[in-house]
Amino acid sequence: MRPPAYYDAKSIKDAVKGAGTNERCLIEILASRTSRQIHNLVEAYKDAYGQDIEEDIISDTSGHFKKMLVVLLQGTREDDDVVSEDLVAQDAQDLYDAGEAQWGTDEAKFIMLLGNRSVTHLQLVFDEYQRIAEKSIEDSIKSELSGDFERLMLAVVQCIRSVPMFFAKRLYKSMKGLGTDDGTLIRIMISRSEIDMLDIRECFRLRYEKSLYNMIQDDTSGEYKRTLLKLCGGDDDLAGEFFPEAAQLAYKMWEISAMTKVQLRGTVRPAGGFDPASDAQALRKAMKGFGTDEDAIIDIVVQRSNAQRQEIRQAFKSLLGRNLMADLKSELSKNLCRLILGLMMTPPEFDAKMMKKAMEGAGTDEHALIEILVTRSNQEIHAMCAAYEEEYKKSLEDAIQSDTSGRFCRILVSLVQGNREEGPADMDRAKADAQELANACNDDSSEMEDKFMSILCTRSFPHLRRVFQEFVKCSNKDIEQIIKKEMSGDVKNAMFAIVRSVKNQPAYFADRLYKAMKGLGTDDRALIRIMVSRSEVDLFNIRKEFKDTHDASLHEFIQVEAFVGDTSGDYRKTLLMLCGGED
């Protein structure tokens, strides 16, 4: 019932009064409002409370965070039609020189440019920055800044790129996990209901694979829920096409995905001063006699690279005439044993073992089969197939065919050939492929799935990024939503995994880890599989994606979830060491 400016003023007042400060509320409001809205807010605050909003914020904040808030409070951002083309390249270079190109960061340059240039101008600057730095401005901010100042600058960048997507993320974080941040949920639903709620809904669906309507329905209750759903206005899971803003955003997201050169980083690196003979003797000592020294085993195994662990296995046999894997298996138990043995295997041996485990017994773990076959390179798949045949005296393809059926079986058999094309995108072919996929959406389900399979299972990942980008343009639809709506069961899950992996593989694994740990009980097999297989590849990137999406660190999640059933804490300790740090 309050006018918008007075509602913003009350939200700011509530954020700064009392003992603590609600920095996230200050960030959300000041990063997302237009210059006119900021001016109205300043006047409303003075009228309602008889105080100067700038003085109240200065007295309640500090450092570069305070300086950027003060800049935003001036409401001096240039109008959207102000684009200084001759300054775009210079501003991008200045941002690069202020951060990535030097030791230390020139925060004042970030504040001046991001606080004053127009939205349209900065969008061009960010594109140019990506070209210069070969990484996004967001990644640079994460590596150069910290704390509330980092969160504020990231919020400003997100709002420059897309205000609806910024609010979609804020809404998701307000409702996921245990408990609801009702203050944030109410504030956004009120303040955006007459501005861009339709676009926020579409961005929400685009990013989180479920509608805002459904998430509110699951997370709230009673008359409060009924009111929020009225404000939300509709369930986008029932729709198929994009609203204009979301279509442009989806196209841009695939553009960024295609252009970004991600530097993959693991969390486990080779140990310096490595001596395999000494490690072999230390492991034997840890397992000899009464009792087992689990700490010694964990410290050695986790802090060596996989190549070094293979040297230890060989030295153990050469020096002691014993099989290290057999000794470890007899001395360790349950999940700790599975985790340590997984680390001691070569990657092809481990993948082969995981494929075997996914298919043995009464049920099949289809998610594990999909995860492994979708995310491994051709070379990794060939090595896994060779390891499987050597260990189990049967081809992996035959095993898949005897354990799965129908079109899902055909998808897995296609992937297990390890014949995915490699190399960059062919733009003309990408447009033709996108049109073919768009046309297939009008066919019956079996023909559609065959066409999707023929393209998604064979084209290179860089090429598919361009295909999915062009798909938005020629269909005004989201490839993920089409798969979700038109396909079902394991075929849907496989196609979906390919798209998510093409878009952002570390984010795909972060989502798999979250699903392995959330809710009642932990899927330890999935947790072990991902932590072991990605520890030297991209686990650091996965950690970053986990924190960005779930607003909690992977380290935190493991600390809570891996404790169940692990009375000694050794399993949890090993996972935390593999994780490599708290974000």
Side-chain angles (χ1 to χ4, degrees), residues 9 84 110 117 138 189 195 202 218 252 272 284 360 382 397 399 440 459 487-488 493 495 520 558 564 573:
S84 309
F110 275 81
R117 295 285 195 257
E138 290 94 333
M189 295 302 289
I195 301 174
E202 193 60 75
D218 293 343
K252 189 67 180 175
R284 177 62 188 144
E360 72 181 9
H382 295 153
E397 183 179 332
R459 306 293 196 260
M487 299 181 190
S488 61
N493 293 335
M495 293 291 108
L520 293 172
I558 290 171
V564 181
K573 175 188 172 182

Side-chain angles (χ1 to χ4, degrees), residues 415-540:
L415 294 172
V416 86
Q417 304 310 308
N419 284 332
R420 184 179 289 282
E421 295 168 6
E422 296 172 339
D426 176 334
M427 282 309 298
D428 289 337
R429 191 178 176 212
K431 289 175 183 176
D433 284 346
Q435 191 61 58
E436 210 167 329
L437 291 175
N439 293 340
C441 295
N442 300 317
D443 297 337
D444 66 54
S445 61
S446 60
E447 287 181 23
M448 177 190 173
E449 288 173 356
D450 284 343
K451 183 52 65 181
F452 270 63
M453 188 181 98
S454 71
I455 293 174
L456 271 63
C457 293
T458 60
R459 306 293 196 260
S460 72
F461 275 23
H463 181 82
L464 285 174
R465 288 187 191 105
R466 292 299 187 184
V467 172
F468 300 153
Q469 181 185 13
E470 292 301 319
F471 183 83
V472 174
K473 184 185 281 187
C474 64
S475 71
N476 196 40
K477 292 176 182 175
D478 168 27
I479 190 81
E480 293 176 60
Q481 190 67 15
I482 288 294
I483 290 169
K484 186 177 177 183
K485 191 176 177 185
E486 302 295 336
M487 299 181 190
S488 61
D490 296 324
V491 171
K492 178 186 78 174
N493 293 335
M495 293 291 108
F496 208 79
I498 292 172
V499 175
R500 295 304 301 275
S501 201
V502 166
K503 183 186 282 184
N504 184 334
Q505 197 162 93
Y508 167 73
F509 279 116
D511 185 55
R512 293 282 300 137
L513 283 170
Y514 178 73
K515 286 173 179 170
M517 291 184 281
K518 76 179 179 73
L520 293 172
T522 302
D523 182 351
D524 290 294
R525 187 171 285 176
L527 180 57
I528 291 168
R529 184 176 62 247
I530 296 170
M531 296 297 288
V532 169
S533 65
R534 311 316 294 182
S535 59
E536 291 184 55
V537 182
D538 55 3
L539 189 51
F540 183 83

